[in-house]
Amino acid sequence: MNEELTIGRLAKAAGVNVETIRYYQRRGLVDEPYKPLGGHRRYAPSAVSRVRFIKRAQQLGFTLEEVTGLLRLEDGQSCRETRLLAEHKLAVIEERIADLTRMRQMLKGLIAECAAGQRPRSCPIIATLSANSEVTDRRK
Amino acid sequence: MNEELTIGRLAKAAGVNVETIRYYQRRGLVDEPYKPLGGHRRYAPSAVSRVRFIKRAQQLGFTLEEVTGLLRLEDGQSCRETRLLAEHKLAVIEERIADLTRMRQMLKGLIAECAAGQRPRSCPIIATLSANSEVTDRRK
DNA sequence: CTTGATTCCGTACCATGGTACGGAGTGCAT
DNA sequence: ATGCACTCCGTACCATGGTACGGAATCAAG
């Protein structure tokens, strides 16, 4: 019995499209197995784990380029280096959260003003966007 | 005296590149003024406010397509409609924050495990990424 | 053996928000 | 009036993570 997979079965097993497998191959994230002359490539079952690894890393916020780095550490022996990558990613994510939190604060404030209907002549949101000053936090 | 601006001065006044002005024109966010035959276009001073409006809206998380919608409400008379746009954007931002917060929690936990060195044989981050469980894709 | 499904491969395209390039025409200052 | 800076315009390109297309070859089931 042969446990090897066609690209279609690999894709289905990993929960991605065939085109995605090809794309990962082009990016060097997944090995392209030997192709018999005039035949189709066969993927080892381990390729499924590989693709899932990539998908999980993406869910943690890693880009495909960063995943490439993680895959070089896949043997689990370079814990320190892996941790550094994770710490850097954590810092970036926290920055994004801070950015978004600021946006949220602004929007919440503006929406509240709108809802209060304090300025029926001119929408507070539009007024803020049209303001002649810089966009600093003049409103919290 | 003539207060009209060349595209270069407009760009500088608004703090963006000339190419960005052109790009906004192509997207219909900024009007393209009349061009005298064999001459250069001249922009009204209000174009500066317009570009700043766009930039401010972007800082609040709106895409250029959404900014197009906001600009249609620029007279400030459609407060309710404007507020709906803002509320929708707020919801999207809160979802993004929730996503990122989950990532942060995961990463923090994994980094802590790494630092504790509880599993010297295999890095906990790598082990998690390599886990044989399903991938639940929350992305849409 | 035939037929329908897959695979292969290169290439183009999607969204997003711009940036870069290049040749020709203008504008302004000296 | 000369020369450099600026403008115009179309087009191509950047990153990111894929998706779509299409013709030819191949595989697998009946």
Side-chain angles (χ1 to χ4, degrees):
Chain A
M1 66 187 182
N2 192 350
E3 291 182 335
E4 292 189 320
L5 305 158
T6 64
I7 194 171
R9 289 187 173 284
L10 164 59
K12 184 160 284 187
V16 301
N17 285 338
V18 167
E19 297 303 327
T20 302
I21 301 291
R22 284 191 203 295
Y23 177 64
Y24 288 173
Q25 286 175 166
R26 285 202 295 282
R27 298 223 23 172
L29 290 158
V30 167
D31 287 336
E32 199 165 20
Y34 167 74
K35 177 189 166 195
L37 291 93
H40 294 165
R41 297 178 198 284
R42 294 285 170 161
Y43 295 80
S46 63
V48 180
S49 312
R50 166 61 63 110
V51 176
R52 289 192 180 151
F53 183 107
I54 296 166
K55 283 295 164 194
R56 273 188 212 105
Q58 280 187 306
Q59 284 175 37
L60 286 178
F62 292 98
T63 64
L64 289 184
E65 189 176 356
E66 289 163 340
V67 174
T68 304
L70 287 172
L71 284 170
R72 283 190 295 96
L73 312 174
E74 206 187 358
D75 62 0
Q77 297 308 295
S78 312
C79 195
R80 204 190 72 91
E81 203 175 337
T82 306
R83 181 158 51 89
L84 288 177
L85 290 179
E87 281 168 350
H88 177 252
K89 179 50 59 181
L90 176 60
V92 169
I93 285 175
E94 292 192 325
E95 211 172 303
R96 285 215 289 259
I97 290 175
D99 279 351
L100 290 168
T101 301
R102 256 184 285 103
M103 292 180 196
R104 180 176 60 181
Q105 290 304 101
M106 282 285 287
L107 282 173
K108 272 188 157 174
L110 291 170
I111 289 166
E113 266 192 77
C114 269
Q118 294 165 338
R119 286 193 259 172
R121 278 267 144 261
S122 158
C123 172
I125 295 175
I126 295 296
T128 298
L129 292 175
S130 303
N132 228 0
S133 55
E134 284 311 309
V135 170
T136 41
D137 352 20
R138 34 182 302 285
R139 188 181 300 277
K140 67 170 167 82
Chain B
M1 71 182 181
N2 192 350
E3 293 182 335
E4 292 189 322
L5 305 159
T6 63
I7 194 170
R9 290 187 174 283
L10 165 59
K12 184 161 284 186
V16 302
N17 286 338
V18 168
E19 297 303 326
T20 302
I21 303 290
R22 285 192 203 295
Y23 177 64
Y24 288 173
Q25 287 175 164
R26 284 202 296 281
R27 298 223 23 172
L29 289 158
V30 167
D31 285 338
E32 198 164 23
Y34 167 75
K35 177 190 165 192
L37 291 93
H40 293 167
R41 298 177 197 285
R42 293 286 171 164
Y43 294 80
S46 63
V48 180
S49 311
R50 167 61 64 110
V51 176
R52 288 195 182 149
F53 183 107
I54 296 166
K55 283 296 167 192
R56 273 189 213 103
Q58 280 188 306
Q59 284 175 39
L60 285 178
F62 291 98
T63 65
L64 290 184
E65 189 175 358
E66 289 162 342
V67 174
T68 305
L70 288 172
L71 284 170
R72 283 191 293 99
L73 312 173
E74 206 186 357
D75 62 1
Q77 297 308 294
S78 312
C79 196
R80 204 190 71 90
E81 203 176 336
T82 307
R83 182 159 49 89
L84 288 177
L85 289 179
E87 281 169 349
H88 177 251
K89 179 51 58 180
L90 177 60
V92 169
I93 285 175
E94 292 193 325
E95 209 173 307
R96 285 215 289 259
I97 290 176
D99 278 351
L100 289 168
T101 301
R102 256 186 293 101
M103 291 180 197
R104 180 175 59 181
Q105 288 306 100
M106 280 288 287
L107 282 173
K108 273 188 159 175
L110 290 170
I111 289 165
E113 265 193 79
C114 271
Q118 293 166 337
R119 288 194 255 172
R121 279 266 145 262
S122 157
C123 172
I125 295 175
I126 296 296
T128 299
L129 293 174
S130 303
N132 225 359
S133 58
E134 278 311 306
V135 177
T136 39
D137 195 356
R138 295 200 66 276
R139 219 119 277 259
K140 57 168 179 180

